[in-house]
Amino acid sequence: MTGEALTLRTVLTVARRLFAEPGYARTPIRLITNEAGVAPQTIDAHFGPGRAC
């Protein structure tokens, strides 16, 4: 598995867990990136700018 694929898997795993806890609308991107240990720009790189809002 490449580093990029591992990063994506980590972000998605964290996001799914957080979405299940407080809910999608109450989960800021910053919380996901902090818990996944990645920069917020990582979301833009994987999903495109604005898609994370």
Side-chain angles (χ1 to χ4, degrees):
M1 180 176 296
T2 67
E4 185 175 331
L6 183 58
T7 298
L8 179 58
R9 180 178 282 184
T10 301
V11 168
L12 291 174
T13 299
V14 168
R16 285 184 189 115
R17 179 178 53 80
L18 292 173
F19 291 161
E21 292 171 5
Y24 176 81
R26 299 177 89 186
T27 304
I29 295 303
R30 177 72 67 182
L31 180 59
I32 295 169
T33 57
N34 284 346
E35 292 208 18
V38 301
Q41 295 81 2
T42 303
I43 302 299
D44 289 344
H46 284 290
F47 302 104
R51 297 244 350 243
C53 296

